[in-house]
Amino acid sequence: MKKFLELISEEMKQAFEAAGYDRELGKMTLSNRPDLCEYQCNGAMAGAKLYKKAPIMIANEVAEKLAGSNIFSEVSAVAPGFLNCKVQASFVGAYLAEMAKTEKFGLEMPKNPDKVIIDYGGPNVAKPLHVGHLRSAVIGESIKRIVRYAGHEIIGDIHLGDWGLQMGLICAEMQERQPDLVYFDEKYDGEYPTDAPFTIAELGEIYPTASAKSKEDEAFKEKALEATGKIQSGVRGYRALWKHIMAVSLPDLKKNYENLNVDFELWKGESDVHDLIPGMAEKMKADGYAYMSEGALVVDIKEESDTKEIPPCMILKSDGAALYTTTDLATILERMEKYQPDRMIYLTDKRQELHFEQVFRCARKTGLVTPDTGLLHIGFGTVNGKDGKPFKTRDGGVMRLEMLIDEINEEMYRKITDNREVSEEEAKQTAKTVALAAIKYGDLSNQAAKDYIFDIDKFTSFEGDTGPYILYTIVRIKSILNKYKDQGGSLEGNIIGAPGNESEKALMLEVAKFNAMMEAACEETAPHKVCAYIYDLANAFNKFYHETKILAEESEAKKKEYIALLLLTRDILETCIDLLGFSAPERM
Ligand code: ARG
């Protein structure tokens, strides 16, 4: 379906043309004076220069042409030359009726869909998930859903940090604790045990202990580095231990992401591209891009237009070891070979900006990607506490994801059971659903690049620009629809009609923005646009609800139109929250 603004712009353009002016002047925008009009056109102002004529004269001539318009109910030319417009009630009603019966509410699908890979989540195996990983998962999941809904093919890859020092630290710590384990016996050439020598709970203790120790004990750190090297170079026992760490950690990680309603098509990691690195490095050398500098293999990526210093991209350290950059480059190589994506999107903390700048430049320069492959890094801001400093636990420690989720769940449970009779079971379930909305909406309603304050009181509030408010609105609509059914009404076969009052029309005009909003959200990979839209939509619905007797409406025909409007509003809200990665309970 054409966008609402496009349709009314077309009407305005025709009027400009009929009055003898360039039709392109007829572009309409939302009104910036909603007290005066719904839409406006500033074309007469621009036309004034072109035609050397007072803008108000042009505006008057155009307005005249629109006297009998089927689309505009009111067009007024106001000084110095604006065209203020209101649209016909019947026109909005018909547009919504069409939306309701069109797939994806009239969002048009791209002619040439892109194939996209989105790299998000990025947890480090065996290390606790922290708040930064929450943002990557929450924003990445939403972008994936938005891009997919908009008609593109998109594959999500978790890109596990599974090849780093943390793995070596765990091996070194295990060796200190249980030196007799068969994994450390170099002469051993039999099968290794299928059961891991630790549980997930033990692993949760082993890593922090080892990490703390390595900061004080140089010799221990040296051992951990050695162990990391042994894992990477394929020493049998170390690889076997590494596999155990993976096998024990992954189910736990999966559970964590499942609780967040986040899922990945690919569970690949840094380790998966290990074997591609030597060949890639060799080729970069042979092609003349990579050279040795102070023992390390590097690629220059400076560009003439640079205003800041961009250091060379290091491919191999002087000891021959690969770096974070190297695995990212090899991953690009693998993705291009396996999937030939049109573009790749990465989500990490914005402090990794330089890293991605280096990786992208190097990938382009060395021909790992074709010139028209899109490479986009979305760097997000820090999650801060109310004091404006990075979010910490009450006692000042790093905030773990699980703790944060527990805290929000508890607060939500308290609010839901406050003054209400609900069964324990249902309250718990509802609290979980609403808490997830509180967390995700709290995050996604901000522009990703911005830091934001994790304010539990605000996020869990049922009022204001919050997840719970949106859910509350959806639940309200569902309950009216249920009542209507209980009274014998049918939800099927009702058709939206022309709005009967101002708040109904205002609601409809909000609904009508859906396809334009979705297009922008996809193009700009901006979930906050979906949030802003549903917040406005929820506000418009609640105003309508307070000013309209819906079920007490005397005219059965009008009541049916209301029901159809409620259904469309509910469906759009539910679609949008699904794109944000959460859902609404039946009651709350
Ligand atoms: N594991 C990394 C971290 O915790 C994030 C990985 C992001 N993805 C990537 N392809 N580099 O910082």
Side-chain angles (χ1 to χ4, degrees):
M1 268 172 85
K2 280 237 165 74
K3 281 168 276 184
F4 194 73
L5 262 178
E6 271 172 6
L7 289 175
I8 63 173
S9 290
E10 183 51 37
E11 177 83 348
M12 183 58 82
K13 284 177 179 178
Q14 281 176 17
F16 266 87
E17 206 167 25
Y21 300 106
D22 180 6
R23 56 179 276 113
E24 291 316 310
L25 294 169
K27 202 169 165 267
M28 304 282 305
T29 59
L30 284 178
S31 160
N32 50 27
R33 284 292 303 275
D35 52 325
L36 296 181
C37 60
E38 292 157 355
Y39 296 91
Q40 67 185 58
C41 170
N42 304 341
M45 307 293 284
K49 284 178 212 99
L50 227 61
Y51 297 97
K52 306 212 177 3
K53 210 171 187 181
I56 190 72
M57 287 174 68
I58 301 180
N60 274 322
E61 288 166 34
V62 172
E64 244 168 64
K65 298 282 177 211
L66 287 165
S69 167
N70 290 327
I71 291 187
F72 296 115
S73 58
E74 227 180 282
V75 179
S76 38
V78 295
F82 297 115
L83 283 154
N84 287 351
C85 308
K86 287 191 178 168
V87 293
Q88 295 277 8
S90 56
F91 179 72
V92 200
Y95 188 82
L96 262 71
E98 186 71 25
M99 275 179 85
K101 62 177 198 210
T102 309
E103 209 180 324
K104 295 189 178 176
F105 316 108
L107 176 66
E108 281 183 9
M109 294 295 105
K111 282 190 200 73
N112 302 304
D114 283 348
K115 186 180 221 181
V116 188
I117 292 187
I118 182 164
D119 177 313
Y120 70 109
N124 299 315
V125 176
K127 276 202 205 177
L129 289 171
H130 59 71
V131 196
H133 292 115
L134 174 72
R135 290 213 78 186
S136 180
V138 168
I139 305 171
E141 179 73 18
S142 178
I143 291 179
K144 183 173 84 180
R145 294 179 183 211
I146 290 170
V147 171
R148 182 173 291 157
Y149 187 84
H152 300 286
E153 181 188 348
I154 182 162
I155 306 167
D157 180 7
I158 188 167
H159 198 75
L160 296 167
D162 58 0
W163 212 224
L165 180 61
Q166 84 268 28
M167 298 300 207
L169 281 164
I170 294 167
C171 291
E173 179 66 17
M174 287 302 291
Q175 185 165 26
E176 288 208 341
R177 292 186 190 188
Q178 301 179 52
D180 297 333
L181 280 179
V182 59
Y183 308 95
F184 305 116
D185 179 356
E186 281 168 31
K187 289 192 214 77
Y188 183 76
D189 61 4
E191 295 271 317
Y192 289 106
T194 43
D195 285 340
F198 37 64
T199 61
I200 181 72
E202 284 160 354
L203 212 49
E205 174 270 324
I206 296 171
Y207 168 73
T209 308
S211 165
K213 199 190 281 180
S214 73
K215 289 190 181 108
E216 278 152 21
D217 182 342
E218 261 311 308
F220 180 74
K221 176 152 192 206
E222 206 39 57
K223 264 197 207 155
L225 281 167
E226 251 169 57
T228 312
K230 285 182 182 166
I231 297 171
Q232 297 188 355
S233 62
V235 173
R236 275 184 77 239
Y238 284 78
R239 272 285 170 94
L241 208 46
W242 175 84
K243 279 201 183 128
H244 283 314
I245 303 176
M246 293 293 281
V248 167
S249 306
L250 286 190
D252 188 56
L253 263 181
K254 289 199 168 147
K255 200 181 75 223
N256 266 302
Y257 284 109
E258 219 169 78
N259 284 334
L260 282 174
N261 197 10
V262 167
D263 76 309
F264 303 93
E265 285 67 40
L266 298 176
W267 280 76
K268 299 207 143 231
E270 295 174 349
S271 65
D272 284 298
V273 295
H274 177 74
D275 294 341
L276 297 178
I277 291 173
M280 178 182 79
E282 271 318 309
K283 181 157 191 319
M284 285 180 179
K285 255 200 284 190
D287 291 345
Y289 295 119
Y291 64 94
M292 298 304 287
S293 165
E294 294 168 38
L297 185 70
V298 302
V299 173
D300 276 333
I301 47 169
K302 272 206 289 257
E303 281 167 15
E304 256 175 42
S305 54
D306 286 345
T307 50
K308 57 179 196 267
E309 185 68 31
I310 303 284
C313 185
M314 203 190 283
I315 309 293
L316 295 174
K317 287 200 287 192
S318 48
D319 61 1
L323 300 104
Y324 184 43
T325 316
T326 326
T327 51
D328 263 329
L329 287 165
T331 305
I332 291 180
L333 173 73
E334 191 195 35
R335 286 178 185 160
M336 289 307 288
E337 274 179 6
K338 269 208 173 126
Y339 306 100
Q340 293 101 32
D342 299 296
R343 49 194 172 111
M344 293 178 231
I345 305 174
Y346 296 79
L347 277 131
T348 76
D349 190 302
K350 65 182 170 203
R351 281 169 289 194
Q352 296 195 25
E353 215 154 275
L354 179 61
H355 164 76
F356 283 102
E357 176 83 60
Q358 289 183 301
V359 169
F360 294 169
R361 283 189 184 194
C362 186
R364 286 202 191 290
K365 181 168 180 179
T366 61
L368 290 180
V369 295
T370 57
D372 54 357
T373 308
L375 295 168
L376 175 68
H377 171 231
I378 301 178
F380 49 77
T382 313
V383 183
N384 291 325
K386 273 190 180 165
D387 57 0
K389 301 210 184 84
F391 205 59
K392 293 266 164 32
T393 57
R394 286 196 193 106
D395 52 19
V398 178
M399 189 52 138
R400 301 246 206 117
L401 194 53
E402 278 159 305
M403 294 195 264
L404 182 139
I405 291 174
D406 285 348
E407 230 175 278
I408 268 223
N409 275 343
E410 268 165 41
E411 178 61 19
M412 230 42 259
Y413 181 78
R414 202 185 56 68
K415 282 201 171 146
I416 280 170
T417 48
D418 216 19
N419 296 323
R420 255 174 291 190
E421 287 286 327
V422 224
S423 78
E424 162 98 15
E425 184 59 26
E426 184 183 342
K428 276 215 169 112
Q429 198 44 50
T430 309
K432 245 180 103 174
T433 309
V434 185
L436 190 63
I439 297 178
K440 289 193 165 186
Y441 191 92
D443 189 312
L444 294 168
S445 54
N446 300 285
Q447 263 181 49
K450 289 203 179 131
D451 298 349
Y452 75 92
I453 290 177
F454 200 94
D455 183 340
I456 295 194
D457 293 332
K458 185 180 149 212
F459 288 5
T460 58
S461 168
F462 287 96
E463 278 151 46
D465 191 5
T466 70
Y469 170 68
I470 304 290
L471 297 193
Y472 194 75
T473 306
I474 295 175
V475 168
R476 168 173 276 165
I477 301 177
K478 287 185 182 178
S479 112
I480 304 171
L481 293 172
N482 283 336
K483 263 198 213 134
Y484 180 70
K485 267 201 300 199
D486 290 346
Q487 294 170 1
S490 164
L491 300 185
E492 317 271 318
N494 307 308
I495 297 168
I496 296 174
N501 61 35
E502 276 309 305
S503 64
E504 188 183 9
K505 189 177 184 193
L507 169 61
M508 288 188 174
L509 291 176
E510 282 307 326
V511 171
K513 291 178 187 163
F514 177 79
N515 53 2
M517 175 285 293
M518 275 308 303
E519 242 179 64
C522 174
E523 198 135 298
E524 297 162 39
T525 50
H528 72 270
K529 300 221 154 171
V530 179
C531 293
Y533 170 75
I534 57 176
Y535 180 52
D536 287 346
L537 185 54
N539 281 335
F541 174 76
N542 285 314
K543 187 160 189 297
F544 162 72
Y545 168 80
H546 288 300
E547 292 179 5
T548 316
K549 291 197 171 62
I550 301 172
L551 294 181
E553 167 62 45
E554 279 165 20
S555 150
E556 273 308 313
K558 184 67 205 165
K559 203 197 286 189
K560 284 185 173 168
E561 293 177 7
Y562 283 152
I563 295 301
L565 176 59
L566 259 59
L567 274 171
L568 178 60
T569 308
R570 180 204 64 186
D571 289 348
I572 287 186
L573 284 171
E574 288 208 299
T575 299
C576 287
I577 62 171
D578 185 56
L579 296 177
L580 298 172
F582 57 88
S583 57
E586 281 310 304
R587 302 191 289 175
M588 64 195 268

